[in-house]
Amino acid sequence: MDAMVRELSYAQAIQEAMAIAMDMDERVFLMGEDIGVYGGAFQVTGDLVERYGADRVIDTPISELGGAGVAVGAALTGMRPIFEFQFSDFATLAMEQIVNQAAKMRFMLGGEVSVPVVMRFPAGSGTGAAAQHSQSLEAWLGHVPGLKVIQPATPYDAKGMLLAAVADPDPVMIFEHKLLYKMKGPVPEGYYTVPIGKADIRREGRDLTIVATSIMVQKALDAAAALESEGIDVEVVDLRTIRPMDKQTVIDSVKKTSRLMCVYEAVKTLGIGAEVSAMIAESEAFDYLDAPIVRLGGAETPIPYNPDLEKATVPQIPDIITAARDLVKGVR
Amino acid sequence: MATASKAVTDSRANLPFVYRHYSAEQLREVLHKMYLIRRFEEGAEECYTRGLIHGTMHLSIGQEASAMGICMPLAEDDQITSTHRGHGHCIAKGAEVKRMFAEFFGKTTGYCKGRGGSMHIADVGKGNLGANGIVGGGIPIAVGAALSSKMMKTGKVVVSFFGDGANNEGAFHEALNMAAVWKLPVIFVCENNGYGMSTSTARSTAVKNIAERAAAYSMPGVIVNGNIFSEVAEASHQAIARARAGEGPTLIESKTYRHRGHSKSDRNRYRTKEEIEDWMSNRDPITLFESELREFGFIDDKGIEAIRDAVAQEIAEGIEFAKASPSPDISETGNYVYTEQA
Ligand SMILES: Cc1ncc(C[n+]2csc(CCOP(=O)(O)OP(=O)(O)O)c2C)c(N)n1
Ligand SMILES: [Mg+2]
């Protein structure tokens, strides 16, 4: 039974997933700032309030700590909230509830409870919104046992992983790059899930493994296409979940290609690149490496307002091409 | 600012406070600044539409009397913390529009050297510690600045501007409590324009008037018509006097309205055209102040014309200055993350 496949934007795919989740389970509801009549800052909830009513598509006051805590409390006691942060940067205001409460509740209570909350975080730079509205903080949350942290990179995955998140008994944090919201791609109608904790090989290759996340997956694919004409065959692994990480897929890929590059938008150091690199260094794939691992990440600076500086702070396709070429050709 | 002479005060005995307290020249300067704020934002909006400015911006058109009324009675070295809707506060505290335009254009001559943009506009030299991208983010910072003032005995008063939406953040409540407990020279100015983005205060806030929240923190809560300059300025004047006397903070609720959408992507689906139209045509703060000034004989048509012309020229020059200014070099991306050591 093949479901109809249409072209949807990433934002539409998320909206459809939320609608399906609400249709399937009356415990599912949405909370967030301006997600009702405004439709959400990025129009992800859109007109859902007209279809599901203000009792299930709840506009909160501008109260991130309280709002996140209410979602955690509701999840703890039987509901299935999906909480939208207006920008991922505002996770910083709600860290207490996410990190000290949601993540640890089940553990602290010896497995007597679970917290099936889903939180959505519009993330990343590229919109000219400057330092407090452009961050990539996924590694912050990825550091916390008890949370699951995902970064879907396509409309298909955005829908399937959100539905998997809603079905998941534990807190799932979804980082959605703002520049992906308009990206179109094939999305089947109806219910399906994409598993959390499973990476995806988006392109097979022999010479180099690029492990990328979120918006960098498409950039890595574009770079790989350009490198093909030079005879460089790149494998692109879309990590998709940063906690729990799919180590085996990355290890197997590196054993095949013998070279590893990590590409992500967040600040380069102390992040996902460090984790993936260390994981490989600790694994049997280490012996297969023909060259040092390369990380391409964001500059060690807040995101600047000036558009040229803003672009220069995160990896762009030409940066990936150059770094990949140097890595394969042994240039250091 | 300077006080009018006794003779002038007597001849204006029945007029509202500010007309007794300030000179005609000072009051005309207020009108000038209100026009400057309005035209600056219109100019910025136009540049944005023409693709000269990127990102987004939050316009305070309709709220000029609030910014001017609060800032005019402040001394130059008094300080403010501002919000995402902070262009008016910045100009009211004394900023030059050309350096603001330059910031919006991302240029090195801008107040933040092109790193901050509209949402982080600041003018530290004039006591504006900065707009803020985080709703409520500036409120505790203002309390900290007031603590500095008290500890360093500088006599500075600090104003924290924030919106109605911000009063539902924990930071608001924690900050007001500390300011009251420590009797700090800070003034909390809630510019209640009826909405936090799309959410009306009726849907977001448990009290009818935000000023009522002052009671919970044992400070005076004052409500003013934020579109009437003289009302706002009088409340500000009193709160400043209280702060300088060491009597502690005041919460002023300035009821106003933003004519434009929340930001550049707002479709205004949460309010009616009639409501917007009513505020624009019947309660425009510049129109109201201008007619008061005229009625009380502080200005005539020629004077108003002169102000408008001067403002138009300042705006045009400011935009040219911004266009002609250099962009930061890509090699400077890492600057200012930490303090440069000599
Ligand atoms: C902590 C935080 N939450 C949400 C936002 C997004 N946001 C920016 S302005 C705004 C509305 C603020 O309303 P209000 O305080 O009334 O100020 P106004 O915009 O009306 O001037 C929102 C929700 C933000 N910038 N920071
Ligand atoms: Mg407001």
Side-chain angles (χ1 to χ4, degrees):
Chain A
M1 199 183 69
D2 269 357
M4 258 275 277
V5 177
R6 304 108 337 127
E7 287 279 306
L8 289 189
S9 73
Y10 189 97
Q12 286 169 327
I14 295 168
Q15 186 185 114
E16 188 168 277
M18 293 192 292
I20 290 171
M22 286 197 283
D23 288 338
M24 287 175 54
D25 184 345
E26 61 188 19
R27 298 171 304 171
V28 175
F29 69 100
L30 316 182
M31 277 176 76
E33 291 164 15
D34 306 286
I35 65 168
V37 60
Y38 198 94
F42 299 98
Q43 296 303 310
V44 177
T45 46
D47 66 357
L48 288 179
V49 69
E50 281 155 41
R51 289 154 61 193
Y52 295 91
D55 291 340
R56 288 184 86 189
V57 181
I58 302 174
D59 272 336
T60 68
I62 310 175
S63 306
E64 289 80 10
L65 173 63
V70 169
V72 170
L76 179 71
T77 49
M79 296 299 284
R80 293 269 174 170
I82 303 175
F83 187 83
E84 174 179 299
F85 281 85
Q86 201 161 81
F87 285 78
S88 66
D89 310 71
F90 311 152
T92 54
L93 286 85
M95 276 311 214
E96 197 286 299
Q97 286 294 324
I98 300 171
V99 175
N100 295 323
Q101 310 298 340
K104 298 173 174 57
M105 194 88 58
R106 179 172 176 79
F107 177 82
M108 294 186 298
L109 273 57
E112 290 296 317
V113 296
S114 58
V115 184
V117 67
V118 175
M119 296 190 180
R120 297 184 32 247
F121 301 91
S125 69
T127 64
Q132 294 174 335
H133 286 72
S134 304
Q135 298 170 85
S136 299
L137 301 177
E138 55 276 0
W140 286 32
L141 297 187
H143 192 65
V144 183
L147 302 179
K148 297 181 180 178
V149 183
I150 63 177
Q151 289 185 279
T154 63
Y156 179 91
D157 283 355
K159 177 175 170 184
M161 294 186 91
L162 177 51
L163 286 168
V166 173
D168 198 289
D170 293 315
V172 180
M173 311 286 119
I174 310 181
F175 283 80
E176 305 163 356
H177 200 291
K178 284 164 279 186
L179 297 186
L180 288 178
Y181 281 134
K182 294 210 163 90
M183 174 207 233
K184 293 217 158 176
V187 179
E189 279 184 343
Y191 186 83
Y192 68 92
T193 59
V194 171
I196 292 169
K198 194 84 200 75
D200 186 24
I201 299 177
R202 294 287 303 280
R203 183 188 205 277
E204 297 203 14
R206 283 171 291 114
D207 298 330
L208 162 68
T209 297
I210 294 183
V211 173
T213 56
S214 189
I215 194 165
M216 291 300 159
V217 173
Q218 190 54 48
K219 290 190 182 179
L221 288 169
D222 291 349
L227 287 162
E228 195 177 83
S229 61
E230 302 179 19
I232 296 175
D233 192 14
V234 178
E235 176 144 311
V236 177
V237 178
D238 176 355
L239 206 51
R240 296 203 290 200
T241 299
I242 65 168
R243 173 179 283 274
M245 196 176 282
D246 179 359
K247 299 177 183 175
Q248 202 56 51
T249 298
V250 182
I251 290 170
D252 291 345
S253 176
V254 172
K255 280 165 74 176
K256 183 172 79 169
T257 65
S258 299
R259 291 185 188 89
L260 172 63
M261 182 161 111
C262 305
V263 187
Y264 47 102
E265 177 167 325
V267 171
K268 179 177 160 183
T269 57
L270 293 158
I272 291 168
E275 183 52 41
V276 171
S277 308
M279 185 271 288
I280 287 300
E282 288 173 339
S283 80
E284 79 255 25
F286 181 69
D287 288 332
Y288 291 74
L289 285 176
D290 283 345
I293 296 167
V294 170
R295 288 180 292 165
L296 266 194
E300 307 290 318
T301 157
I303 300 291
Y305 165 71
N306 175 287
D308 298 329
L309 295 192
E310 181 182 23
K311 267 208 195 88
T313 53
V314 300
Q316 303 295 340
I317 295 166
D319 305 323
I320 304 174
I321 293 174
T322 308
R325 189 189 291 131
D326 290 351
L327 177 52
V328 172
K329 301 217 163 129
V331 181
R332 284 191 206 158
Chain B
M1 287 186 186
T3 315
S5 71
K6 180 140 195 327
V8 175
T9 314
D10 287 348
S11 74
R12 304 177 194 166
N14 295 322
L15 299 186
F17 167 81
V18 292
Y19 297 102
R20 286 178 272 126
H21 195 75
Y22 295 107
S23 71
E25 199 188 328
Q26 285 175 313
L27 293 167
R28 283 196 295 268
E29 178 57 20
V30 169
L31 183 66
H32 175 190
K33 285 251 179 95
M34 282 168 71
Y35 266 115
L36 198 59
I37 296 171
R38 176 74 54 96
R39 299 285 183 257
F40 172 82
E41 292 200 309
E42 288 170 349
E45 188 176 37
E46 201 198 314
C47 292
Y48 178 89
T49 310
R50 288 167 50 204
L52 297 169
I53 294 175
H54 84 147
T56 189
M57 59 177 73
H58 305 86
L59 301 174
S60 67
I61 292 176
Q63 305 186 179
E64 295 88 348
S66 183
M68 275 313 298
I70 295 296
C71 289
M72 193 249 190
L74 289 173
E76 182 159 318
D77 67 348
D78 286 337
Q79 291 167 323
I80 66 169
T81 64
S82 172
T83 71
H84 58 284
R85 204 173 301 288
H87 313 154
H89 309 145
C90 197
I91 293 172
K93 195 68 181 67
E96 291 179 87
V97 292
K98 66 176 189 180
R99 292 194 59 197
M100 292 177 68
F101 275 124
E103 186 57 36
F104 287 29
F105 279 65
K107 301 299 182 69
T108 55
T109 51
Y111 275 110
C112 314
K113 305 191 180 69
R115 277 27 176 223
S118 156
M119 210 160 20
H120 304 291
I121 197 79
D123 178 7
V124 179
K126 286 279 164 61
N128 179 359
L129 300 177
N132 211 308
I134 301 301
V135 167
I139 310 175
I141 293 173
V143 175
L147 181 64
S148 284
S149 166
K150 187 172 178 179
M151 295 178 94
M152 295 162 74
K153 300 190 172 56
T154 58
K156 288 181 193 178
V157 168
V158 186
V159 167
S160 176
F161 286 103
F162 53 92
D164 46 283
N167 96 101
N168 294 314
E169 288 281 18
F172 165 86
H173 296 272
E174 297 179 24
L176 263 71
N177 185 56
M178 283 184 278
V181 170
W182 298 330
K183 280 198 177 338
L184 296 178
V186 55
I187 304 167
F188 300 101
V189 179
C190 180
E191 299 191 301
N192 181 352
N193 57 13
Y195 300 89
M197 212 156 145
S198 67
T199 309
S200 66
T201 51
R203 292 175 58 231
S204 69
T205 305
V207 287
K208 188 153 180 294
N209 301 300
I210 287 153
E212 291 166 28
R213 291 199 157 155
Y217 305 105
S218 276
M219 67 178 78
V222 183
I223 299 174
V224 293
N225 182 333
N227 284 18
I228 298 182
F229 168 78
S230 54
E231 261 196 45
V232 184
E234 182 169 355
S236 177
H237 187 90
Q238 282 169 4
I240 293 167
R242 181 179 145 81
R244 287 216 209 281
E247 288 162 23
T250 302
L251 171 61
I252 297 176
E253 177 180 4
S254 174
K255 291 195 191 273
T256 181
Y257 197 79
R258 62 168 155 76
H259 293 178
R260 296 296 199 271
H262 167 71
S263 67
K264 299 314 294 175
S265 52
D266 186 352
R267 293 172 295 169
N268 279 312
R269 293 210 296 197
Y270 49 87
R271 55 183 190 173
T272 62
K273 276 205 181 68
E274 293 71 34
E275 180 184 293
I276 301 171
E277 186 51 42
D278 173 48
W279 281 87
M280 285 178 69
S281 37
N282 301 324
R283 281 176 270 183
D284 181 90
I286 299 185
T287 312
L288 293 177
F289 184 52
E290 200 173 86
S291 36
E292 268 191 11
L293 282 181
R294 209 194 311 249
E295 183 186 335
F296 301 150
F298 288 89
I299 202 164
D300 55 15
D301 286 351
K302 242 180 74 190
I304 292 169
E305 212 44 55
I307 285 176
R308 289 181 187 166
D309 289 347
V311 166
Q313 192 179 338
E314 220 171 314
I315 296 300
E317 284 170 8
I319 293 174
E320 285 317 307
F321 172 81
K323 281 185 185 163
S325 292
S327 280
D329 195 88
I330 301 287
S331 67
E332 295 168 356
T333 301
N335 287 10
Y336 316 121
V337 180
Y338 297 101
T339 305
E340 298 71 32
Q341 306 282 348

